[in-house]
């Protein structure tokens, strides 16, 4: 499993946000960057760097993190996916995040901490950190979620049939799709792909762009609500169990 982060998602500051330059004479403060975090399933650290099998395929990703990212090469992660995800979200070593699947309600998450500083947090992809109401993404600090709650099938299996085992959901506790959505009354719906030959990587990518566009349209455009920094956690299930 490879974790890879990019510090700034948007090339220019959101108008009216903390990223905008302060007026002349105003005291400067540290900028609140837009944050994008990728977590890719079943990918080794070296796959992005010098592997003869994958390095060429990931040449664009290599170039991206070298230009605008942070390479973390001194850390510890669990060898399987759920503890690694829980460790990132809780900010603690996986063996301290107990019991399994990050089900401790008293854990304070990264998203909750970001929210206290003014961020809105979104997640697209594979959650796999609890399926009870108190453990869902929107109960853990995310404002919107689209993806898989549990361990899915291989990413290269079709995901458009209603009898499949993908269990794709959309959730929100901030009003985007449903005007009545709130932290006390979050909105959730089951999602099915439009086409029978639709694959999860394509759908997750499209939803991630939808979340970003919605955020900029609402919080980053001139004449609308003052800009708000965002955090997007993109946790694809590729390349899990693909056989490639």
């Amino acid at each position: 499993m490879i974790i890879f982060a990019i510090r700034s998602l948007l090339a220019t500051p959101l108008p009216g946000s903390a990223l905008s330059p302060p007026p002349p004479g105003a005291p400067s403060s540290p900028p609140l960057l837009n944050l994008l975090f990728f977590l890719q399933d079943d990918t080794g650290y070296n796959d992005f760097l010098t592997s003869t099998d994958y390095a060429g395929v990931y040449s664009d990703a290599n170039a991206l993190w070298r230009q605008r990212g942070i390479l973390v090469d001194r850390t510890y992660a669990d060898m399987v996916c759920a503890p690694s995800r829980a460790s990132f979200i809780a900010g603690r070593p996986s063996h301290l995040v107990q019991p399994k699947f990050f089900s401790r309600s008293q854990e304070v998450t990264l998203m909750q901490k970001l929210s206290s500083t003014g961020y809105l947090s979104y997640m697209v992809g594979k959650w796999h950190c609890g399926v009870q109401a108190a453990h869902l993404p929107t109960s853990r600090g995310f404002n919107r979620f689209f993806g898989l709650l549990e361990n899915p099938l291989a990413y290269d299996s079709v995901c458009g049939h209603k009898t499949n085992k993908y269990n794709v959901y959309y959730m929100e506790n901030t009003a985007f799709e449903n005007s009545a959505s709130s932290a006390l009354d979050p909105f959730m719906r089951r999602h099915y792909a439009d086409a029978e030959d639709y694959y999860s990587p394509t759908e997750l990518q499209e939803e991630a762009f939808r979340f970003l566009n919605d955020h900029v349209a609402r919080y980053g455009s001139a004449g609308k609500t003052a800009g708000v920094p965002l955090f997007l956690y993109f946790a694809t299930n590729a390349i899990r169990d693909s056989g490639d």
Side-chain angles (χ1 to χ4, degrees):
M1 177 173 293
I2 189 75
I3 295 174
F4 131 62
I6 300 176
R7 290 186 294 177
S8 180
L9 174 64
L10 303 177
T12 57
L14 295 176
S17 73
L19 294 173
S20 301
S28 60
S29 59
L32 293 176
L33 298 177
N34 295 293
L35 304 173
L36 173 61
F37 191 93
F38 287 96
L39 192 151
Q40 182 162 308
D41 233 354
D42 292 359
T43 309
Y45 169 83
N46 195 49
D47 290 341
F48 276 96
L49 299 175
T50 60
S51 166
T52 56
D53 294 326
Y54 295 113
V57 177
Y58 292 127
S59 58
D60 290 342
N62 269 324
L64 183 61
W65 74 254
R66 290 179 190 277
Q67 293 170 10
R68 302 183 60 190
I70 304 170
L71 176 65
V72 179
D73 60 0
R74 295 292 187 275
T75 188
Y76 296 93
D78 202 282
M79 65 181 293
V80 293
C81 66
S84 293
R85 296 166 191 277
S87 181
F88 165 67
I89 290 168
R92 301 201 298 154
S94 59
H95 69 281
L96 297 178
V97 184
Q98 295 293 335
K100 191 178 181 182
F101 299 142
F102 181 49
S103 59
R104 281 180 46 163
S105 298
Q106 63 266 39
E107 292 281 1
V108 178
T109 68
L110 169 64
M111 298 75 68
Q112 289 167 336
K113 292 179 180 178
L114 287 173
S115 176
S116 69
T117 65
Y119 278 83
L120 286 179
S121 296
Y122 310 118
M123 179 182 173
V124 174
K126 176 181 167 184
W127 172 241
H128 207 201
C129 288
V131 297
Q132 301 300 318
H135 308 147
L136 295 175
T138 47
S139 300
R140 294 298 200 178
F142 285 108
N143 300 96
R144 298 181 86 182
F145 167 80
F146 178 90
L148 308 133
L149 291 178
E150 301 181 85
N151 211 29
L153 303 176
Y155 79 92
D156 57 353
S157 299
V158 294
C159 61
H161 198 278
K162 291 189 176 183
T163 60
N164 68 28
K165 298 179 181 179
Y166 272 91
N167 295 323
V168 178
Y169 292 90
Y170 171 82
M171 306 176 190
E172 66 178 35
N173 58 23
T174 301
F176 279 92
E177 285 193 8
N178 188 322
S179 60
S181 299
S182 68
L184 296 178
D185 187 19
F187 170 73
M188 180 172 68
R189 62 172 170 80
R190 184 77 181 270
H191 174 83
Y192 300 103
D194 294 330
E196 292 298 318
D197 58 349
Y198 215 48
Y199 296 87
S200 61
T202 301
E203 187 163 46
L204 295 179
Q205 176 179 298
E206 290 176 353
E207 287 299 313
F209 279 114
R210 182 169 76 95
F211 280 17
L212 296 178
N213 289 332
D214 287 351
H215 182 95
V216 172
R218 177 176 295 190
Y219 299 108
S221 298
K224 296 194 177 180
T225 307
V228 175
L230 67 88
F231 167 58
L232 174 66
Y233 171 40
F234 188 87
T236 174
N237 61 315
I239 57 177
R240 183 181 181 88
D241 295 333
S242 66
D244 293 341

